[in-house]
């Protein structure tokens, strides 16, 4: 693993730390001021600081240092958790995210001088108000650092003998020797010293033995090494954590012989200065210290807990998923072959089926991530939008632990941002307007996620003014998007929001209103195999619902025969299948036919007609209706010739291998090696309704009866 | 008396640029005064050449050190070797 790889891990961990800090600050903002919440924020910021220092991101390191110093004061309750302070901490977190982004993209570091001043001012205010003087306050902050690092290392046992930094008992030594190359790639060994000092370490000595004459020096070479005396309350793991990202660039030596001597001299001189003990006593004491200094390493908690997770390159994971996909296809082919030999009921085939399904589920779980990684970015977006629009908006989030595929998560961020921007800019009214309408001046944006019927439903709801259907329709007519004479349902009118170039915003802002964005949103969601629907109540608000697939790779489906084609209906849509009696069928006009499903009438859609299926249709006596449920168009009954099988199928994108085809969600390879198209059930039902291509199955099913 | 001024950002790049000037100054017969008043950040590379310069010259002094400079030098336990306690301010 090279330095770049390690740096990438640092950025991944930065994301995790930022999310943890955001979560902690949210809790803090809503009144949770307990130690664990503040410690979680502190740990997150401290962790970023460690990496920033190791990789030489000096500005980021300086910023996090000031940030965490204020957090330490908050932890010590010497700073009041006022609304202003919470606001300052949130702004600091936003700025820290900018620092991380800048470091990752190689861009300019953000302007943070003003914020640093504010952070320092908040801290300075603390210092002036604090009951203790500065000299006393500093060790407290350092002890907090030490304590938190101890917590991070999982060692919660309290240090014996009180503040060992004061009495020096059981303190231990570490020598750091930056190696050749430690100053390459922007690394700055000096920052490691600061980290150690922040942990409460004190420099015992700087070794200059290797330093050559000025004439013989190589500026890129390192010649100095330092010996630090660390408080016993600081575990060795806390020091190692500082050097996690450093790798081979620095040699750490613990409690070496030379250091024993150094410690002896150091303690001797300190004791002599204090006049507390005689020199021989000091030597004895220091030798005892040097012996006990090894204790931290012995009592150090085992690292097995930290090793319970492994970071894997995503491309390796994708190869595994591809392999599982091919395994599923191979298994289907084997089943088909055995079926031809009348061997489908052999026990081993059932075992193989179970094993393949287990492997597939586990492999998919590798890629599953909680949606909180997307939701956690929303508070900042809201703060920015509140700042630019002057609207105060409260965020309510639920279901953030819902998991979905990593690819879906990554590609969800953009459409979600568009929808939230629109909700704040156009949905939620200004405080004055809301007061006039008898609403709470503070708007509410609700984000929720849940798993339902094999899909993930994400809702973005605002309690704003809702979509004005008349304005939207008139705008669409004016822009020639629809004809003035076309009768439209509410749903169809709302869907006009997604038409390119159509915006009902009275003014174009830098946030939204140009009519670009919403069509991109729908396109993005569609590319994910998902669907977006709108529900709006005038004066009450608008809800956008995104229905997304759990995974993009493998799904369960019903394989049906339509003409000479095999088609796949995703099982998530299927409610039931039946061969209808004539009495279950009801005509509606000359072309439409409804199916009576236990008293409920659903339209019948002929897949053959909608998809233009070729080849001779099977005899109508084999006609089967598959009742399906859609996201936005209710239930429908798909007329097919026969049901062939029900099994897992591997989704192959048509966009990638061919091009997108209307009403088709993708393709798959069947057990017999043939390609079958996967039906986009929602689109098929919508198309059938819109184009009046609803089947007239009277003849087909009539013959069946 | 020669006087040279340290830049505000004394990182490795700055040390590489500053090294030839410092080396020549140490070799010259007159006393050397290094103005550290502008220093805001300093790293190991610059500290090393300053220490080597201080050790190689009898008449070397740090003048008017900034708080950041003093803080860094003390943290690295180099205040004595750089004679910082007698620094001219």
């Amino acid at each position: 693993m090279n330095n770049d790889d390690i740096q990438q891990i640092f950025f991944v961990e930065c994301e995790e730390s930022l999310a943890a800090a955001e979560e902690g600050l949210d809790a803090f903002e809503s009144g949770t001021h307990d130690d664990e919440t503040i410690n979680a924020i502190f740990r997150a910021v401290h962790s970023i600081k460690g990496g920033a220092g190791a990789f030489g991101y000096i500005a980021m390191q300086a910023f996090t240092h000031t940030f965490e110093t204020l957090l330490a004061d908050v932890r010590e309750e010497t700073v009041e958790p006022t609304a202003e302070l919470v606001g300052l901490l949130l702004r600091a977190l936003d700025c820290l995210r900018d620092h991380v982004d800048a470091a990752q993209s190689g861009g300019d570091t953000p302007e943070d001088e003003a914020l640093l001043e504010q952070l320092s001012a908040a801290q300075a205010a603390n210092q002036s108000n604090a009951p203790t003087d500065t000299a006393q306050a500093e060790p407290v902050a350092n002890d907090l650092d030490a304590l938190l690092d101890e917590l991070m290392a999982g060692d919660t046992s309290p240090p014996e003998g009180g503040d060992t930094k004061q009495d020096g008992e059981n303190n231990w030594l570490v020598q750091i020797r930056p190696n050749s190359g430690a100053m390459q790639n922007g690394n700055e060994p000096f920052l490691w010293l600061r980290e150690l000092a922040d942990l409460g370490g004190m420099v015992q000595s700087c070794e200059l033995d290797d330093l050559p004459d000025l004439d013989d020096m190589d500026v890129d070479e390192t010649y100095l090494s330092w010996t630090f005396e660390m408080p016993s309350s600081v575990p060795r793991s806390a020091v190692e954590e500082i050097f996690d990202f450093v790798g081979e660039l620095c040699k750490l030596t613990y409690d070496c012989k030379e250091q024993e001597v150094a410690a002896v001299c150091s303690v001797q001189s300190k004791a002599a200065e204090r006049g507390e003990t005689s020199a021989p006593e000091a030597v004895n004491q220091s030798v005892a210290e040097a012996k006990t200094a090894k204790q931290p390493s012995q009592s150090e908690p085992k690292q097995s807990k930290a090793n319970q997770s492994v970071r894997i390159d995503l491309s390796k994971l994708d190869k595994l998923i591809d392999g599982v996909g091919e395994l599923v296809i191979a298994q289907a082919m084997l089943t088909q072959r055995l079926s031809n030999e009348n061997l489908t009921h052999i026990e081993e085939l059932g075992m193989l089926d179970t094993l393949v399904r287990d492997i597939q589920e586990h492999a998919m779980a590798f890629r599953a991530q909680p949606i909180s990684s997307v939701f956690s970015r929303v508070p900042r977006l809201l703060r920015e939008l509140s700042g630019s629009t002057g609207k105060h908006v409260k965020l309510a989030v639920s279901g953030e632990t819902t998991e979905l595929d990593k690819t879906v998560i990554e590609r969800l961020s953009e459409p979600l941002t568009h929808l939230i921007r629109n909700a704040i800019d156009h949905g939620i009214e200004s405080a004055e307007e809301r007061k006039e309408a008898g609403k709470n001046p503070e708007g509410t944006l609700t984000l929720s996620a849940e798993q339902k019927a094999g899909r993930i439903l994400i809702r973005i709801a605002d309690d704003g003014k809702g979509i004005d259907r008349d304005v939207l329709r008139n705008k669409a007519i004016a822009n020639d998007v629809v004809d003035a004479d076309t009768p439209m349902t509410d749903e169809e009118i709302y869907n006009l929001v997604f038409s390119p170039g159509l915006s009902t915003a009275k003014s174009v802002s830098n946030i939204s209103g140009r009519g670009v964005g919403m069509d991109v949103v729908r396109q993005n969601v569609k590319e994910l195999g998902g669907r977006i629907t709108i529900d709006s109540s005038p004066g009450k608000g608008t809800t956008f619902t995104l229905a997304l697939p759990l995974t993009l790779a493998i799904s369960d489906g019903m394989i049906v025969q339509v003409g000479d084609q095999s088609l796949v209906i995703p099982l998530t849509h299927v409610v039931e299948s039946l061969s209808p009696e004539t009495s279950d069928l009801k005509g509606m006009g000359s072309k439409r036919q409804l199916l009576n499903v236990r008293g409920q009438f659903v339209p019948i859609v002929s897949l053959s007609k909608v998809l233009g299926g070729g080849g001779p249709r099977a005899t109508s006596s084999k006609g089967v209706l598959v009742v399906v449920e859609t996201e936005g168009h209710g239930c429908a009954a798909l007329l097919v010739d026969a049901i062939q099988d029900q099994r897992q199928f591997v989704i192959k994108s048509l966009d990638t291998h061919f091009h997108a085809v209307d009403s088709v969600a993708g393709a798959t390879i069947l057990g017999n090696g043939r390609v079958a198209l996967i039906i986009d059930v929602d689109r098929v039902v919508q198309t059938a309704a819109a184009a009046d291509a609803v089947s007239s199955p009277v003849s087909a099913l009539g013959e069946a009866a | 008396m020669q006087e040279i001024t340290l830049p505000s950002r004394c990182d490795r790049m700055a040390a590489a640029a500053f090294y030839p000037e410092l080396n020549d100054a140490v070799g010259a017969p007159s006393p050397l005064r290094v103005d550290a008043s502008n220093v805001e950040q300093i790293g190991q590379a610059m500290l090393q050449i300053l220490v080597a310069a201080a050790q190689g010259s009898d008449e070397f002094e740090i003048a008017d050190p900034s708080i950041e400079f003093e803080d860094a030098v003390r943290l690295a336990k180099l205040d004595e070797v750089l004679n910082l306690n007698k620094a001219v301010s």
Side-chain angles (χ1 to χ4, degrees):
Chain A
M1 186 176 281
N2 60 31
N3 204 35
D4 287 345
D5 294 334
I6 300 170
Q7 199 154 330
Q8 280 312 310
I9 293 174
F10 164 61
F11 286 127
V12 170
E13 291 186 349
C14 275
E15 281 302 317
E16 292 168 2
S17 297
L18 286 169
E22 181 87 52
E23 191 183 333
L25 276 175
D26 276 350
F28 191 74
E29 189 179 19
S30 34
T32 311
H33 298 156
D34 58 46
D35 288 355
E36 184 45 45
T37 303
I38 300 164
N39 284 347
I41 304 166
F42 189 100
R43 275 196 297 269
V45 174
H46 185 75
S47 172
I48 294 175
K49 179 181 142 184
F55 286 107
Y57 296 119
I58 294 168
M60 197 199 305
Q61 202 236 7
F63 183 80
T64 44
H65 181 72
T66 310
F67 191 1
E68 75 169 10
T69 306
L70 179 57
L71 286 168
D73 290 346
V74 176
R75 165 68 179 79
E76 288 300 311
E77 296 178 358
T78 48
V79 168
E80 284 292 315
T82 59
E84 289 75 27
L85 178 79
V86 173
L88 177 62
L89 294 175
L90 285 167
R91 289 201 301 283
L93 182 65
D94 293 345
C95 184
L96 178 54
R97 187 179 286 281
D98 290 340
H99 270 289
V100 173
D101 289 345
Q104 193 163 13
S105 63
D108 293 337
T109 52
E111 294 290 330
D112 61 4
E113 287 83 4
L115 199 53
L116 277 171
E117 276 176 22
Q118 289 176 38
L119 290 168
S120 300
Q123 191 196 340
N126 156 46
Q127 282 173 358
S128 61
N129 295 335
T132 53
D133 61 24
T134 312
Q136 285 169 317
E138 193 176 1
V140 172
N142 284 336
D143 274 357
L144 177 67
D145 283 8
L147 179 64
L148 287 167
D149 281 291
E150 194 174 89
L151 286 172
M152 288 163 75
D155 182 359
T156 52
S157 59
E160 288 178 11
D163 185 358
T164 51
K165 220 175 77 180
Q166 286 172 5
D167 58 26
E169 277 182 29
N170 299 329
N171 286 2
W172 52 286
L173 300 170
V174 58
Q175 185 186 48
I176 70 162
R177 173 70 173 93
N179 291 335
S180 173
M183 293 191 293
Q184 303 291 328
N185 299 324
N187 278 315
E188 177 47 70
F190 191 73
L191 295 169
W192 306 333
L193 306 190
R194 212 172 274 290
E195 289 283 307
L196 290 172
D198 285 348
L199 280 181
M202 288 188 293
V203 190
Q204 293 301 310
S205 61
C206 175
E207 287 79 36
L208 305 173
D209 297 346
D210 296 337
L211 190 70
D213 291 339
L214 191 58
D215 277 334
D216 302 326
M217 281 190 73
D218 176 352
V219 177
D220 290 334
E221 193 51 77
T222 52
Y223 302 105
L224 307 180
S225 59
W226 289 269
T227 302
F228 271 77
E229 182 183 350
M230 304 303 296
S232 62
S233 56
V234 175
R236 198 160 110 177
S237 55
V239 170
E240 286 171 345
E241 190 187 317
I242 296 173
F243 295 90
D244 267 354
F245 298 105
V246 176
E248 300 296 315
L249 297 177
C250 184
K251 186 181 175 195
L252 296 181
T253 314
Y254 298 94
D255 313 321
C256 58
K257 278 271 181 192
E258 290 78 3
Q259 284 165 340
E260 284 184 19
V261 176
V264 169
C265 300
S266 162
V267 174
Q268 205 171 0
S269 62
K270 277 195 292 182
E273 277 170 22
R274 290 198 302 263
E276 289 172 357
T277 52
S278 64
E281 280 172 353
V283 171
N284 290 338
Q285 181 189 350
S286 58
V287 169
E289 278 178 25
K291 283 179 183 168
T292 53
K294 287 190 178 176
Q295 282 182 350
S297 61
Q298 286 164 352
S299 61
E300 192 181 343
K302 289 180 181 174
Q303 295 296 313
S304 58
K305 210 168 185 180
N307 294 334
Q308 282 175 351
S309 67
V310 178
R311 290 188 186 277
I312 300 174
D313 189 86
L314 199 59
S315 64
K316 289 181 184 170
L317 215 52
D318 287 341
K319 280 180 189 164
L320 174 69
I321 305 286
D322 285 347
V324 172
E326 296 306 316
L327 180 67
V328 171
I329 292 173
Q331 186 223 1
M333 287 177 163
L334 178 66
T335 307
Q336 179 82 33
R337 178 69 69 85
L338 292 174
S339 166
N340 296 342
E341 306 291 332
N342 283 329
L343 292 170
T344 47
H345 299 298
I346 59 174
E347 193 182 341
E348 289 80 357
L349 197 62
M351 285 168 60
L352 182 66
D353 190 51
T354 309
L355 286 172
V356 168
R357 192 169 282 270
D358 281 352
I359 291 171
Q360 183 246 318
E361 279 177 11
H362 292 315
M364 291 303 151
F366 289 159
R367 290 184 55 93
Q369 283 192 327
I371 199 166
S372 56
S373 58
V374 179
F375 282 2
S376 66
R377 289 171 179 263
V378 176
R380 178 182 185 174
L381 182 63
L382 280 195
R383 287 196 290 277
E384 287 175 355
L385 291 172
S386 291
S388 54
T389 62
K391 297 174 184 175
H392 290 285
V393 181
K394 191 171 64 184
L395 178 67
V397 177
S398 65
E400 60 268 44
T401 54
T402 308
E403 289 191 330
L404 64 168
D405 190 273
K406 181 177 168 59
T407 310
V408 181
I409 292 258
E410 283 166 356
R411 288 159 65 181
L412 197 59
S413 181
E414 194 183 331
L416 211 58
T417 304
H418 271 298
L419 289 172
I420 292 168
R421 282 173 179 270
N422 268 284
I424 307 296
D425 205 23
H426 304 310
I428 292 176
E429 316 90 327
S430 66
E432 293 74 29
E433 285 176 277
R434 291 180 67 86
K435 274 184 199 165
E436 281 173 21
K439 292 178 170 180
N440 185 337
E442 189 180 50
T444 302
L445 182 80
T446 309
L447 285 181
S448 69
E450 62 172 323
Q451 188 176 337
K452 196 175 178 184
R455 292 175 88 77
I456 300 290
L457 298 184
I458 298 164
R459 291 193 182 83
I460 302 104
D462 66 65
D463 66 345
K465 56 184 172 240
I467 296 174
D468 190 325
R469 278 169 294 194
D470 293 337
V471 171
L472 183 60
R473 188 164 185 272
N474 291 338
K475 184 96 177 176
I477 292 168
N479 284 9
D480 290 332
V481 177
V482 290
D483 285 335
D485 303 332
T486 310
M488 296 178 81
T489 63
D490 283 355
E491 191 183 335
E492 286 168 333
I493 294 173
Y494 290 144
N495 280 333
L496 290 171
V497 165
F498 299 116
S499 304
L502 196 69
S503 173
T504 58
K506 287 176 185 158
S507 63
V508 172
S509 70
N510 60 354
I511 298 167
S512 55
R514 291 190 171 81
V516 289
M518 292 305 273
D519 59 322
V520 178
V521 167
R522 183 165 65 172
Q523 188 57 34
N524 287 348
V525 174
K526 207 173 165 189
E527 282 168 6
L528 288 171
R531 179 156 295 105
I532 181 166
T533 51
I534 308 173
D535 187 24
S536 186
S537 303
K540 290 185 178 171
T542 305
T543 301
F544 287 86
T545 304
L546 278 66
L548 297 163
L550 279 174
T551 170
L552 305 177
I554 299 177
S555 189
D556 280 293
M558 181 181 276
I559 299 165
V560 298
Q561 185 80 32
V562 177
D564 59 355
Q565 292 290 318
S566 293
L567 300 172
V568 179
I569 302 173
L571 215 54
T572 51
H573 290 281
V574 177
V575 179
E576 62 180 317
S577 58
L578 48 94
S579 296
E581 301 291 333
T582 318
S583 56
D584 294 333
L585 304 172
K586 181 176 168 57
M588 200 174 97
S590 60
K591 291 181 178 174
R592 293 171 184 252
Q593 192 85 21
L594 301 176
L595 171 69
N596 183 353
V597 184
R598 292 178 287 279
Q600 187 186 359
F601 287 95
V602 298
I604 295 171
V605 178
S606 166
L607 275 186
S608 174
K609 277 201 171 182
V610 173
L611 299 175
R617 193 181 294 178
T619 58
S620 51
S621 59
K622 291 182 183 172
V624 176
L625 287 173
V626 180
V627 180
V628 291
E629 194 173 30
T630 66
E631 296 296 339
H633 310 282
C635 286
L638 303 180
L639 173 64
V640 302
D641 295 341
I643 294 173
Q644 290 181 334
D645 201 356
Q646 184 177 309
R647 63 167 39 258
Q648 282 190 309
F649 63 92
V650 180
I651 304 166
K652 303 280 185 188
S653 165
L654 273 188
D655 295 24
T656 312
H657 302 287
F658 181 52
H659 61 74
V661 178
D662 192 34
S663 301
V664 175
T668 190
I669 300 168
L670 297 177
N672 57 12
R674 291 187 64 182
V675 173
L677 299 178
I678 303 162
I679 302 299
D680 182 345
V681 175
D682 268 80
R683 184 70 187 146
V684 162
V685 174
Q686 186 189 16
T687 307
D692 203 21
V694 178
S695 159
S696 123
V698 175
S699 55
L701 294 171
E703 287 171 36
Chain B
M1 167 78 76
Q2 309 169 79
E3 179 161 331
I4 50 180
T5 304
L6 289 174
S8 62
R9 189 186 170 106
C10 295
D11 56 10
R12 189 183 62 84
M13 300 283 281
F18 185 68
Y19 171 67
E21 185 185 358
L22 182 69
N23 202 14
D24 289 347
V26 169
S30 56
L32 174 59
R33 180 186 166 104
V34 176
D35 182 342
S37 60
N38 295 331
V39 176
E40 291 174 3
Q41 288 173 2
I42 189 161
Q44 183 173 345
M46 185 66 91
L47 285 172
Q48 287 181 161
I49 59 171
L50 287 177
V51 171
Q55 289 188 332
S57 169
D58 292 335
E59 295 177 296
F60 174 94
E61 71 179 15
I62 300 287
D64 196 15
S66 65
I67 294 170
E68 290 82 0
F69 182 88
E70 276 197 52
D71 176 47
V73 168
R74 289 191 206 286
L75 173 63
K77 202 83 174 169
L78 293 169
D79 43 336
E80 281 188 24
V81 69
L82 284 176
N83 223 3
L84 201 63
N85 299 328
K86 294 176 188 170
V88 180
S89 58

